[in-house]
Amino acid sequence: MSKIECRNLTKVFRLGSGNLEAIKDLSFEVNAGELVAVVGKTGCGKSSTLNIILGLEKPTAGRLAIDGKEPYAEFDYFRGKLSAVFQTDRLLPWRTVLQNATYALEILGITEVRRLEKARYWLEKVGLSGFENAYPHELSGGMRQRVGIARAFSIDPDVLLCDEAFGHLDEVTANKLRADFLNLVRETNKTSVFITHDIDEAMELGERVLVLGKPARLLMDVQVSRSIKDDHTKRGELKSRIIKAIESDEPAEHG
Ligand SMILES: Nc1ncnc2c1ncn2[C@@H]1O[C@H](COP(=O)(O)OP(=O)(O)OP(=O)(O)O)[C@@H](O)[C@H]1O
Ligand SMILES: [Mg+2]
């Protein structure tokens, strides 16, 4: 299990002749085995933060470390240790469900026998047994996301990241997928970061919710215990506080 430490992270993009500050002095921690939801309005720098965690982007300043190592600087060390489920399924259209589910394992050089075994196992876990030979275009959006989830879990990563993974699905399908995803994360004890602009989703999934301002910096860091999740009134109060923090773009008074 891995710990994520983000210290005074800043990311500035060059945009035409000017600069765009996407992340501004962002600090937070995700403890090993914890499931943290990150919420903030559109364009506030959530995906940019996730890309830095994945080692796809380099911080402009500050430090993002997983188990003391920086993903961008030590890309090779993190091969097979991080995986992500994105908003769009990012499946390869010319590959079957099974071939998509084995793809990450193939890149890691796992033998074919083991690849098929692991991919079939995870496809079954996400409820796609019987669809191994279907192509992505033959599946519903929810089923395609399930392939993405199977692919992400297949490599048994230390850290699992989700970026608006259920954002474009209907409410009923999203609820089901959320519950299934939560069970898998719990079962496997992954350190997990779930990014969303949906406050209800963040409170449902996260053991802790981080609320980001725009540009990305920490406005709120709040534990969401079972007693809050299950209590309609407490939930409503917390949601109001989160909305207030996002609207004012100021840190909340009581963390
Ligand atoms: N590669 C890039 N080059 C230039 N600007 C970028 C790049 N990536 C992101 N940005 C800018 O950084 C800001 C934050 O973008 P980001 O995608 O991180 O936001 P987000 O919170 O994920 O938004 P959404 O909720 O819409 O997905 C935006 O203004 C975006 O235009
Ligand atoms: Mg995004």
Side-chain angles (χ1 to χ4, degrees), residues 74-139:
E74 305 202 43
F75 204 81
D76 275 344
Y77 171 84
F78 284 103
R79 263 169 62 90
K81 293 192 170 68
L82 314 173
S83 60
V85 185
F86 298 96
Q87 177 164 20
T88 54
D89 56 58
R90 299 200 188 182
L91 301 178
L92 300 172
W94 59 88
R95 285 183 161 232
T96 64
V97 165
L98 184 62
Q99 288 165 346
N100 268 288
T102 57
Y103 186 61
L105 296 159
E106 216 172 289
I107 291 174
L108 290 174
I110 309 291
T111 63
E112 189 176 4
V113 175
R114 287 289 287 150
R115 289 205 297 264
L116 291 171
E117 189 187 326
K118 282 171 191 273
R120 287 209 172 93
Y121 173 82
W122 281 105
L123 287 173
E124 199 210 319
K125 293 285 269 186
V126 300
L128 285 178
S129 288
F131 292 92
E132 289 87 350
N133 297 320
Y135 284 88
H137 76 268
E138 297 174 298
L139 305 180

Side-chain angles (χ1 to χ4, degrees), residues 22-39:
I23 304 172
K24 190 189 174 83
D25 204 18
L26 173 64
S27 297
F28 66 86
E29 280 178 13
V30 178
N31 296 311
E34 202 176 23
L35 170 52
V36 168
V38 176
V39 67

Side-chain angles (χ1 to χ4, degrees), residues 13-15 20 22 41-48 57 164 197:
F13 289 110
R14 290 222 167 283
L15 213 60
L20 190 142
K41 67 173 114 171
T42 183
C44 81
K46 300 184 296 296
S47 296
S48 302
E57 291 274 3
E164 313 256 7
H197 58 250

